Amino acid sequence: MAAAAHAMETKKMGTQGLATLGVALLLAIAGYAALFVAPNEATMGLIQRIFYFHVPFGWSAFVAFAISFVSSIAYLRSHAPKWDWLAVSSAEVGVPFVTVMLVTGPIWAHPVWGIWWTWDARLTSTFVLWVLYVCYLLLRTLIDEPERRAVVSAVFNIFAAFDIPLVYFSIWFFRTQHPQPVIGAGGSLDPRMLDVLLLCWGATLALLALLLRQRYRVEALRWEVERLRLEAESRSSVPHGLTLRDQEHSA
């Protein structure tokens, strides 16, 4: 039995290693394409190539937060722990992705705009989104009881997710320093640039999936440890030789 469990664990580790290697290779190809395959932008020059990292990481962060939002709704409907695990896992993975977007944005903006940051609608709403999900993760550390923590954080998560469409549509709703969309209605992007952009987004989504899978497994193990801890605490509170049922009868 132990040998079979060891073999299964070894197989899982091998699969995880191959997945990690595949994602690393895909990221390397995407990075090469962004730096050397995509054509040079006529106005901004080389600094524009940060676009192939800035935008895909932002889009992937939206995907992560959307998964977290749907998972929180599913948890409130079913109270199944797996949805809480997925909600916190996707939120925790999404925060570094939106952080990359916030860091690469000013690096791109300074040579082009002459400033590192401006409090326009797109940038401000993105910063608020980052703050909201950091607060969501901090909130979970303040509540010890697992079910109450899951409910409270799910409600907060649903509230935080309403900032996602505001971030995305802010450049349509408001006059902003941020460039107008280059994809979709009113936008124009060189086909080779679009191909590289989609390749980079595919690579970041693969990275997101890899990290999310691992973070979900960690959360599931954490929940199991918490359950065992609470069971141990409840048993230790019962006097030796007296069961909980005996206590109830004596009360």
Side-chain angles (χ1 to χ4, degrees), residues 44 54 108 112-113 120 122-123 171 176-182:
M44 291 179 281
H54 175 74
W108 184 9
V112 178
W113 297 347
D120 75 352
R122 168 58 71 85
L123 276 67
I171 53 178
T176 70
Q177 181 83 15
H178 196 277
Q180 292 299 302
V182 294

Side-chain angles (χ1 to χ4, degrees), residues 13 22 31 58 61 75 86 91 94 109 114 122-123 129 191 195:
M13 291 180 62
Y75 177 80
L86 185 57
R122 168 58 71 85
L123 276 67
L129 184 69
D195 291 342

Side-chain angles (χ1 to χ4, degrees), residues 105-170:
I107 295 174
W108 184 9
H110 188 258
V112 178
W113 297 347
I115 55 174
W116 291 100
W117 183 270
T118 181
W119 293 99
D120 75 352
R122 168 58 71 85
L123 276 67
T124 302
S125 57
T126 304
F127 178 71
V128 169
L129 184 69
W130 180 85
V131 170
L132 285 171
Y133 276 94
V134 169
C135 289
Y136 166 79
L137 297 176
L138 290 175
L139 175 65
R140 296 184 63 91
T141 67
L142 302 177
I143 305 174
D144 292 328
E145 202 280 311
E147 186 171 351
R148 181 169 176 267
R149 178 178 62 227
V151 171
V152 172
S153 58
V155 173
F156 184 88
N157 192 5
I158 293 170
F159 164 76
F162 282 104
D163 191 41
I164 298 174
L166 179 60
V167 172
Y168 187 78
F169 292 108
S170 58

Side-chain angles (χ1 to χ4, degrees), residues 17-239:
L18 288 175
T20 302
L21 183 61
V23 171
L25 180 61
L26 185 57
L27 287 169
I29 294 172
Y32 178 85
L35 295 175
F36 301 107
V37 176
N40 207 32
E41 206 277 331
T43 304
M44 291 179 281
L46 291 176
I47 192 62
Q48 183 271 343
R49 293 182 184 275
I50 206 169
F51 163 79
Y52 302 106
F53 304 96
H54 175 74
V55 173
F57 272 95
W59 287 351
S60 297
F62 293 158
V63 171
F65 293 147
I67 294 172
S68 186
F69 168 72
V70 172
S71 300
S72 291
I73 294 176
Y75 177 80
L76 292 178
R77 288 173 59 90
S78 66
H79 287 271
K82 64 180 181 179
W83 293 115
D84 182 55
W85 307 342
L86 185 57
V88 65
S89 299
S90 52
E92 191 167 310
V93 172
V95 167
F97 277 68
V98 80
T99 302
V100 171
M101 182 172 65
L102 285 171
V103 170
T104 54
I107 295 174
W108 184 9
H110 188 258
V112 178
W113 297 347
I115 55 174
W116 291 100
W117 183 270
T118 181
W119 293 99
D120 75 352
R122 168 58 71 85
L123 276 67
T124 302
S125 57
T126 304
F127 178 71
V128 169
L129 184 69
W130 180 85
V131 170
L132 285 171
Y133 276 94
V134 169
C135 289
Y136 166 79
L137 297 176
L138 290 175
L139 175 65
R140 296 184 63 91
T141 67
L142 302 177
I143 305 174
D144 292 328
E145 202 280 311
E147 186 171 351
R148 181 169 176 267
R149 178 178 62 227
V151 171
V152 172
S153 58
V155 173
F156 184 88
N157 192 5
I158 293 170
F159 164 76
F162 282 104
D163 191 41
I164 298 174
L166 179 60
V167 172
Y168 187 78
F169 292 108
S170 58
I171 53 178
W172 281 278
F173 296 158
F174 306 100
R175 291 173 59 92
T176 70
Q177 181 83 15
H178 196 277
Q180 292 299 302
V182 294
I183 300 174
S188 60
L189 192 66
D190 183 279
R192 289 177 297 167
M193 289 183 173
L194 179 60
D195 291 342
V196 173
L197 176 64
L198 294 178
L199 172 62
C200 291
W201 189 28
T204 56
L205 284 176
L207 177 62
L208 173 69
L210 180 68
L211 295 175
L212 180 56
R213 182 174 182 272
Q214 290 304 304
R215 182 61 184 83
Y216 181 86
R217 292 179 63 187
V218 169
E219 193 61 29
L221 291 172
R222 179 181 295 176
W223 184 86
E224 182 65 21
V225 169
E226 284 188 352
R227 186 185 66 80
L228 294 173
R229 178 180 62 82
L230 291 173
E231 279 188 8
E233 288 178 354
S234 65
R235 288 178 181 177
S236 64
S237 64
V238 179

